[in-house]
């Protein structure tokens, strides 16, 4: 029994080896690490402040550069003009909606809206594609330079003006349709709004102008139906170009305040 009691006695614990507390860091090491932490936090704070100042300066410079950069106009109106021409052509020739024929300009008894609507009508696919190619090129230039409203007004006024002169000159048995009066108007406007008295620009116009005009004359077509035959309406070509030049001249006479002046005025009011 005594042997059993002796066997049940716990063995000497080996935890005495771990009973001693861990040595605390020396005061010199703790103070040193404290100094490093303080110095690091101060340096990090200075760097963050410096970075923040640099970032704010960079943002300010970017905002100033953004204000100075001219705002480019996105061309959207030209695509609506193209879609309108294409939609009227599809309704006229593919779906054969009879009411579309009322949009043609009948010289014998014209209606006031036909001077405008006939510029969106075309006789066949070649007539449509050749005109819309140049409408897109020159119309996009006008819209990027002068804006959406100027594009629509240029298209309508030059096209309707060309039809008006054609109606005054051509026989009463004629029927006019096509956008080439507007094409030549947009071509003239796109050239004149970028024109300057720099001799290089004048030389470019003299050299390239005749070539471009010939190509546009070949492709752009204002069709006049006389009897049963289709004829190219050169009167509409010349009239559209002259009306485009007149529009640029008239608009240039209107005084406009520059963006810089308005920007300065808003600054002073603030």
């Amino acid at each position: 029994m005594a042997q059993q009691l002796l066997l049940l006695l716990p063995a000497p614990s080996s935890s005495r080896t771990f009973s001693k507390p861990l040595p605390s860091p020396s005061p010199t090491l703790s103070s040193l690490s404290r100094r490093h932490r303080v110095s690091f936090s101060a340096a990090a704070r200075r760097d963050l402040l410096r970075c923040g100042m640099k970032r704010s300066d960079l943002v300010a410079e970017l905002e100033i550069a953004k204000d100075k950069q001219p705002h480019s106009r996105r061309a959207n109106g030209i695509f609506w003009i193209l879609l309108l021409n294409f939609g009227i052509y599809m309704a006229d020739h593919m779906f054969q909606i009879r009411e579309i024929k009322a949009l043609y300009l009948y010289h014998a008894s014209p209606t006031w809206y036909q001077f405008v609507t006939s510029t969106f009508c075309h006789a066949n696919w070649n007539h449509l594609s050749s005109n819309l190619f140049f409408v897109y090129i020159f119309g996009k230039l006008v819209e990027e330079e002068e804006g959406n409203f100027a594009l629509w007004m240029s298209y309508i006024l030059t096209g309707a003006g060309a039809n008006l002169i054609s109606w005054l000159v051509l026989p009463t048995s004629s029927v006019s349709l096509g956008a080439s009066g507007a094409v030549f108007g947009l071509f003239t406007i796109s050239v004149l709004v970028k024109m300057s008295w720099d001799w290089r620009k004048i030389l470019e116009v003299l050299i390239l102008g005749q070539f471009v005009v010939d190509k546009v004359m070949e492709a752009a077509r204002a069709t006049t139906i006389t009897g049963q035959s289709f004829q190219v309406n050169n009167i509409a070509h010349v009239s559209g170009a002259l009306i485009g030049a007149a529009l640029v001249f008239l608009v240039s006479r209107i005084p406009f305040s520059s963006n810089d002046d308005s920007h300065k005025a808003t600054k002073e009011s603030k």
Side-chain angles (χ1 to χ4, degrees):
M1 191 70 178
Q3 289 179 356
Q4 288 180 355
L5 289 172
L6 287 173
L7 288 172
L8 291 173
L9 288 174
S13 175
S14 61
S15 62
R16 292 177 183 176
T17 56
F18 299 99
S19 61
K20 292 182 179 181
L22 292 173
S24 61
S26 62
T28 56
L29 288 174
S30 61
S31 61
L32 189 63
S33 62
R34 222 177 290 117
R35 277 194 218 114
H36 276 80
R37 280 199 299 271
V38 171
S39 62
F40 174 74
S41 60
R45 207 175 292 117
R46 284 196 300 270
D47 291 340
L48 287 174
L49 289 173
R50 203 176 294 117
C51 291
M53 291 175 63
K54 289 180 180 178
R55 184 180 178 185
S56 62
D57 293 341
L58 182 61
V59 171
E61 290 178 2
L62 288 174
E63 289 178 352
I64 293 171
K66 186 178 179 181
D67 292 336
K68 289 182 179 179
Q69 186 178 3
H71 297 285
S72 59
R73 296 183 176 92
R74 187 177 179 183
N76 288 323
I78 186 61
F79 294 105
W80 288 108
I81 291 176
L82 297 179
L83 284 174
L84 185 57
N85 277 272
F86 185 75
I88 290 176
Y89 176 83
M90 294 292 291
D92 188 8
H93 296 278
M94 297 294 292
F95 300 104
Q96 295 183 353
I97 299 175
R98 294 181 179 179
E99 286 77 10
I100 301 298
K101 302 294 183 185
L103 303 180
Y104 295 1
L105 176 60
Y106 298 93
H107 290 219
S109 57
T111 310
W112 66 268
Y113 60 82
Q114 292 176 350
F115 291 96
V116 176
T117 57
S118 61
T119 62
F120 297 95
C121 302
H122 293 84
N124 50 52
W125 177 254
N126 290 332
H127 187 207
L128 174 73
S129 61
S130 59
N131 277 346
L132 291 194
F133 175 75
F134 290 105
V135 166
Y136 173 73
I137 292 176
F138 302 131
K140 193 168 184 289
L141 292 174
V142 172
E143 185 175 12
E144 289 176 349
E145 190 69 24
E146 301 297 331
N148 190 355
F149 179 76
L151 168 67
W152 280 96
M153 293 304 296
S154 300
Y155 184 95
I156 292 172
L157 291 178
T158 55
N163 282 334
L164 178 62
I165 296 175
S166 298
W167 172 68
L168 293 173
V169 174
L170 295 177
T172 56
S173 60
S174 303
V175 179
S176 294
L177 65 158
S180 69
V183 167
F184 275 82
L186 293 173
F187 166 68
T188 306
I189 293 171
S190 65
V191 171
L192 292 180
V193 294
K194 290 181 174 290
M195 189 69 179
S196 64
W197 292 109
D198 186 5
W199 65 272
R200 300 176 188 84
K201 294 288 185 182
I202 296 174
L203 187 62
E204 287 178 2
V205 172
L206 291 176
I207 294 174
L208 301 176
Q210 183 64 38
F211 173 77
V212 174
V213 169
D214 290 340
K215 291 300 178 184
V216 175
M217 288 284 288
E218 290 176 6
R221 302 170 184 175
T223 300
T224 300
I225 304 172
T226 305
Q228 297 297 324
S229 62
F230 291 91
Q231 298 179 0
V232 177
N233 186 358
N234 291 319
I235 295 174
H237 297 168
V238 178
S239 303
L242 292 176
I243 294 171
L247 284 176
V248 174
F249 176 77
L250 292 175
V251 171
S252 64
R253 295 293 179 180
I254 301 174
F256 292 102
S257 60
S258 63
N259 293 331
D260 295 335
D261 295 338
S262 62
H263 189 62
K264 288 179 182 177
T266 54
K267 278 189 176 180
E268 288 175 0
S269 63
K270 289 180 181 179

